[in-house]
Amino acid sequence: PKYRDTYCILTRGLLLVLLFPCCLTQTTASNTTSATPTSSPQPRTDRLKVRLTGFPRKHNEGRVELFHKGEWGTICDDDFSIVNAHVLCRQLGFVEATGWTHSAKYGKGSGKIWLDNVLCSGSEKSIEQCKSRGWGNSDCTHDEDAGVVCKDERIPGFVDSNNKIEEVRLQPVVVAAKKKLPITEGVVEVKYKDGWAQVCDLGWTIKNTRVLCGMLGFPHERKVNKNFYKLFLERQKSYFHVHSVACTGTEVHLAACPLEFSKPNSTSTCVGGSPAVISCMPGPLFMQNSKPLYELKGGARLGEGRVEVLKDSEWGTVCDDRWNLPSASVVCRELGFGSAKEAFTGARMGQGMGPIYMNEVKCVGHEKSIWSCPFRNITSEDCQHMEDAAVRCNIPYMGLENKIRITGGRTQNEGRVEVLSADPNGTLSWGLICGEGWSTKEAMVACRQLGLGYANQGLQETWYWDSSNVTDMVMSGVKCTGSELSLSQCQHHKTISCQKAAAKFSAGVICSETVSDLVLNASLVQQTVYIEDRPLHMLYCAAEEDCLSKSAAKANWPYGHRRLLRFSSQIHNIGRADFKPKAGRHSWVWHACHAHYHSMDIFTHYDLLNANGTKVAEGHKASFCLEDTDCHEGVSKRYECANFGDQGITVGCWDLYRHDIDCQWIDITDVKPGNYIMQVVINPNQEVAESDFTNNAMKCNCKYDGHRIWLHNCHIGDAFSEEAERRFEKYPGQLNNKIS
């Protein structure tokens, strides 16, 4: 130990405590002495600021620094433990720590070493509540600076304690504007105590407006007509909590800007100024009659997902090295959202497929495009898809979650769907949705509107959730594409038409924060394709499972043959939850011919299309054996079909259907020579929920001369740009190696 112990001597029932002056611990915060060598620093009236810094690091790790007496300082690694790291990570807004570091792993700090010999019990809310030698009392050097590694998962609802301003809103002054969402223009107000206060506009610049618009979910700022507001503001009584704002324009939160606050008990007003008023430009997604340019991939909610960028007509991902909020904000604004709320690393929104284009992106925050930021081109050794970067962007408040609710479920993530609707008199009331035709797509939109993530299941009957007094059907015939922001944006009957109008037949959902995402290995299909003329006497089982074209029924069995286009398919689960059949094993169907169970009637569709998109040949594969054939390093297999085992595909694993097994083909016996498009669709009926259905299809250019077959340009459905995809479909037989 770096200080001497206080000795307690017990003598024949007499307790004698000897206190030596040289053993007293002095805390610089209070100038008081304590007889306990490991004392807690004196509680502070304001919240202690904590930050992670240093290099190299990701946003959830780094050297720990504390802000005390107007100065940043470090913590010595003596007696440091994972318990201390847990307290620090929770204080920073992460759920827990996964590790800690010693000996200045993230570089040596400078200035004070504020704490030494820190000993936490684990229940503390702040590191200052833990025992230590006291503020500034240390015999360490910066070679012993401690660091932490936090789990990359935020505490729900956490607000950064470093931010003195936690919430900002726009207060519109025009009555009509108050009813229209999102609110894009109005008086800036900050949350203060139990109410709201204004911000003085003296010295206000467009850079301040840019930061505020980003916080509120808008990509751009615009000039405001202050004369319009002048008369109104002069009549209003204002309380100014913030007297000066000086943003550079690259900050992602107002609290990161230099601010000057009103002094306690001060009656001063904004002399010579008035409340700040700003106007923001909404992104394309929030403007009427406008469609989104493109979406982030794999996110459960609007404005979040894995970052994918376009290069040479092909989509690819971004590596997470040095990925931070300024770079994430450039992406968010480019997509029509506000600044970034969070920058995720470690493929938090699922792993991508295909190329990884960028690494160590270093944006300042004012760039118009992420391609304008400095970055490093990468090699396969630098990054893998387990390091794909992701973002969560600020989005405008739309109030959509107030128009839907779920009731009766066992948890807050499931239940019968109820929507708020108005009768002819304008009276609002809750009503049910007819369950007829309700599917995963509609459930996806409902869960998104509820703010509960993805849809695990969409249910057409909810008799087991009958706990509400709401019985009237107010919506029927709901049909969604799956990308809508709310159910009201989906197609539905103008007049209610529901054959089963009882409440027990109303729609329900089971929502989930994580789901699977299946993707086919396109290059393997291209590498393994060939033609086989297979004798009919070897195809009885295949015929029983309907794996041949209709003309096979008229063949002279068992004589003759069928021409089969064969290939291997390797199906990866790159999502964040295991892919499992919707039906339980009790309902799986036994097929005696092949001696296996079918857990899904149709797991994949195999089609051959002409230039018009018409099917000229087709095949399908039932999921007779969904299992983990192999997995990435560090991932264990969980599913195996042998002995009636559980079926599924684990995250980070893949299921391989070899070219030489039954039904792994398209019957092209009746197909004439020509140019075609071969298409494979996984989970075609969307029976099982996935985070992204756009990557379930794979397409290839196909040329067949009657004897041989060539496949080229095999790619996942969303891998190419829209323009490149149109050229691909226009010239199905072209044999160039890449669409450009």
Side-chain angles (χ1 to χ4, degrees):
K2 295 186 177 175
Y3 46 83
R4 295 166 57 187
D5 292 326
T6 299
Y7 296 89
C8 297
I9 303 176
L10 289 171
T11 59
R12 295 180 181 236
L14 176 65
L15 174 62
L16 179 61
V17 181
L18 303 179
L19 300 178
F20 297 98
C22 60
C23 300
L24 296 178
T25 300
Q26 187 166 2
T27 57
T28 59
S30 59
N31 288 328
T32 60
T33 58
S34 171
T36 307
T38 53
S39 63
S40 300
Q42 181 176 331
R44 302 158 55 94
T45 56
D46 57 344
R47 289 182 291 182
L48 177 68
K49 293 182 181 180
V50 183
R51 72 182 182 186
L52 298 179
T53 186
F55 181 81
R57 70 181 189 92
K58 295 180 180 178
H59 74 284
N60 57 319
E61 62 179 322
R63 182 178 65 248
V64 179
E65 294 193 354
L66 311 176
F67 192 72
H68 179 65
K69 287 191 171 182
E71 184 178 353
W72 287 101
T74 61
I75 299 178
C76 181
D77 61 13
D78 290 342
D79 293 334
F80 207 85
S81 68
I82 189 66
V83 179
N84 298 352
H86 283 315
V87 173
L88 282 162
C89 286
R90 287 196 297 269
Q91 194 170 352
L92 288 161
F94 298 98
V95 294
E96 63 181 354
T98 59
W100 64 277
T101 65
H102 57 84
S103 305
K105 176 186 174 182
Y106 297 103
K108 294 188 290 186
S110 59
K112 297 284 189 180
I113 298 176
W114 280 127
L115 295 178
D116 190 5
N117 297 102
V118 179
L119 295 171
C120 300
S121 66
S123 60
E124 295 88 352
K125 299 293 185 183
S126 171
I127 195 70
E128 62 186 332
Q129 296 172 358
C130 301
K131 293 182 178 181
S132 73
R133 297 183 64 173
W135 289 106
N137 189 0
S138 172
D139 59 0
C140 296
T141 68
H142 282 295
D143 290 314
E144 301 169 84
D145 285 342
V148 295
V149 181
C150 303
K151 184 177 181 181
D152 193 7
E153 182 178 343
R154 303 292 288 181
I155 297 172
F158 175 81
V159 177
D160 189 352
S161 62
N162 295 340
N163 291 345
K164 292 184 179 180
I165 293 180
E166 299 175 353
E167 192 173 346
V168 180
R169 74 177 185 184
L170 292 184
Q171 182 64 23
V173 298
V174 181
V175 176
K178 294 181 180 180
K179 299 180 180 180
K180 184 179 179 182
L181 294 175
I183 296 172
T184 60
E185 185 172 304
V187 178
V188 178
E189 294 188 337
V190 296
K191 194 71 180 288
Y192 180 65
K193 295 183 178 179
D194 295 328
W196 296 87
Q198 286 73 46
V199 177
C200 181
D201 70 351
L202 289 175
W204 190 267
T205 68
I206 198 69
K207 294 178 180 179
N208 298 341
T209 303
R210 175 178 171 81
V211 173
L212 279 164
C213 288
M215 280 182 64
L216 295 167
F218 302 109
H220 306 295
E221 67 285 351
R222 55 188 173 191
K223 291 185 178 180
V224 65
N225 184 359
K226 294 190 66 174
N227 292 329
F228 176 79
Y229 290 91
K230 186 175 182 180
L231 183 61
F232 171 82
L233 294 175
E234 288 175 350
R235 296 176 179 175
Q236 298 296 310
K237 184 178 180 180
S238 300
Y239 176 80
F240 296 95
H241 179 51
V242 182
H243 280 267
S244 174
V245 181
C247 301
T248 64
T250 61
E251 297 88 350
V252 297
H253 197 287
L254 183 62
C257 302
L259 303 174
E260 182 182 330
F261 293 90
S262 60
K263 298 179 180 179
N265 303 320
S266 172
T267 57
S268 63
T269 59
C270 180
V271 180
S274 62
V277 179
I278 68 169
S279 181
C280 304
M281 177 76 75
L285 193 60
F286 303 97
M287 299 171 66
Q288 294 183 353
N289 302 321
S290 179
K291 296 182 179 180
L293 299 176
Y294 59 89
E295 293 183 350
L296 298 166
K297 294 293 183 181
R301 298 170 181 82
L302 179 67
E304 69 175 30
R306 180 178 64 253
V307 178
E308 300 210 351
V309 294
L310 188 64
K311 182 180 180 182
D312 297 332
S313 300
E314 187 173 2
W315 292 103
T317 61
V318 176
C319 189
D320 63 8
D321 290 347
R322 294 197 181 185
W323 185 247
N324 58 19
L325 282 172
S327 298
S329 292
V330 172
V331 172
C332 289
R333 290 181 185 272
E334 190 176 0
L335 290 167
F337 302 112
S339 53
K341 184 179 290 186
E342 293 184 77
F344 295 115
T345 59
R348 272 285 302 278
M349 298 292 177
Q351 298 183 28
M353 296 283 283
I356 302 174
Y357 287 133
M358 310 174 81
N359 188 21
E360 296 187 13
V361 180
K362 292 180 285 187
C363 300
V364 175
H366 57 69
E367 295 87 350
K368 297 296 184 183
S369 170
I370 192 173
W371 289 108
S372 302
C373 304
F375 67 92
R376 190 163 66 90
N377 291 315
I378 67 170
T379 63
S380 58
E381 291 78 19
D382 291 328
C383 283
Q384 304 295 327
H385 280 295
M386 64 184 66
E387 301 171 83
D388 283 343
V391 299
R392 177 174 290 148
C393 307
N394 287 310
I395 63 171
Y397 175 72
M398 301 291 289
L400 299 174
E401 68 276 12
N402 300 325
K403 300 176 182 178
I404 187 173
R405 69 184 185 186
I406 50 177
T407 61
R410 297 161 296 181
T411 69
Q412 63 179 5
N413 293 323
E414 66 178 28
R416 179 180 289 170
V417 179
E418 298 180 2
V419 292
L420 198 61
S421 64
D423 63 17
N425 298 322
T427 303
L428 294 175
S429 61
W430 292 99
L432 305 176
I433 299 175
C434 180
E436 295 170 13
W438 185 262
S439 69
T440 303
K441 287 184 178 180
E442 289 71 47
M444 281 289 216
V445 176
C447 290
R448 182 181 299 119
Q449 186 177 353
L450 287 160
L452 296 178
Y454 305 101
N456 204 319
Q457 286 188 49
L459 305 164
Q460 297 185 358
E461 296 183 15
T462 52
W463 50 269
Y464 36 80
W465 288 335
D466 193 12
S467 64
S468 173
N469 58 1
V470 177
T471 57
D472 294 334
M473 296 283 183
V474 296
M475 287 185 77
S476 64
V478 180
K479 287 294 177 187
C480 306
T481 64
S483 61
E484 295 88 351
L485 302 182
S486 69
L487 290 173
S488 62
Q489 297 176 358
C490 301
Q491 294 181 357
H492 56 87
H493 295 154
K494 292 183 178 180
T495 304
I496 303 299
S497 176
C498 188
Q499 294 182 357
K500 298 179 180 180
K504 65 180 180 180
F505 296 113
S506 61
V509 294
I510 300 176
C511 303
S512 175
E513 285 293 326
T514 57
V515 289
S516 60
D517 187 15
L518 298 188
V519 176
L520 185 68
N521 184 339
S523 61
L524 184 65
V525 174
Q526 185 167 314
Q527 294 164 11
T528 58
V529 68
Y530 65 97
I531 287 177
E532 179 191 11
D533 290 332
R534 193 164 182 81
L536 284 174
H537 68 82
M538 301 176 68
L539 293 172
Y540 279 104
C541 284
E544 180 184 306
E545 294 194 12
D546 199 25
C547 294
L548 302 175
S549 61
K550 294 179 181 179
S551 64
K554 302 176 183 179
N556 185 23
W557 291 76
Y559 308 105
H561 67 271
R562 305 297 295 182
R563 175 157 289 185
L564 308 176
L565 190 161
R566 308 200 69 151
F567 54 92
S568 296
S569 64
Q570 188 183 75
I571 299 168
H572 293 247
N573 183 0
I574 62 173
R576 291 192 285 160
D578 294 354
F579 183 94
K580 300 181 70 173
K582 183 177 181 180
R585 67 169 67 197
H586 63 279
S587 61
W588 295 353
V589 179
W590 174 256
H591 282 250
C593 193
H594 280 133
H596 57 236
Y597 284 94
H598 284 188
S599 56
M600 293 173 65
D601 288 337
I602 298 179
F603 178 54
T604 51
H605 268 163
Y606 306 143
D607 301 313
L608 202 63
L609 314 174
N610 62 19
N612 297 324
T614 304
K615 293 182 183 179
V616 296
E618 61 182 308
H620 75 272
K621 189 149 201 66
S623 61
F624 65 80
C625 182
L626 278 174
E627 66 177 3
D628 297 327
T629 306
D630 207 350
C631 304
H632 290 298
E633 184 179 354
V635 181
S636 301
K637 299 179 183 179
R638 297 181 58 186
Y639 301 100
E640 188 176 13
C641 297
N643 303 316
F644 197 38
D646 283 339
Q647 292 194 25
I649 306 176
T650 304
V651 176
C653 299
W654 55 88
D655 189 7
L656 176 63
Y657 289 87
R658 285 175 50 89
H659 57 84
D660 53 0
I661 64 174
D662 262 8
C663 298
Q664 187 60 35
W665 62 57
I666 300 176
D667 185 350
I668 60 170
T669 306
D670 306 319
V671 174
K672 298 178 180 179
N675 298 325
Y676 301 97
I677 292 175
M678 177 186 168
Q679 177 176 274
V680 178
V681 183
I682 310 167
N683 191 18
N685 299 332
Q686 300 181 1
E687 289 183 35
V688 180
E690 297 186 49
S691 60
D692 187 3
F693 288 112
T694 63
N695 59 12
N696 281 32
M698 184 224 67
K699 295 180 179 180
C700 302
N701 288 131
C702 177
K703 183 176 180 63
Y704 175 49
D705 67 359
H707 306 284
R708 295 167 298 175
I709 201 157
W710 295 267
L711 292 187
H712 288 267
N713 296 322
C714 292
H715 65 282
I716 303 302
D718 63 346
F720 288 173
S721 66
E722 290 185 10
E723 183 180 354
E725 190 66 30
R726 284 195 296 268
R727 287 197 294 269
F728 170 88
E729 294 176 353
K730 185 176 181 180
Y731 307 106
Q734 61 182 314
L735 298 182
N736 56 306
N737 291 327
K738 190 171 185 179
I739 301 291
S740 59

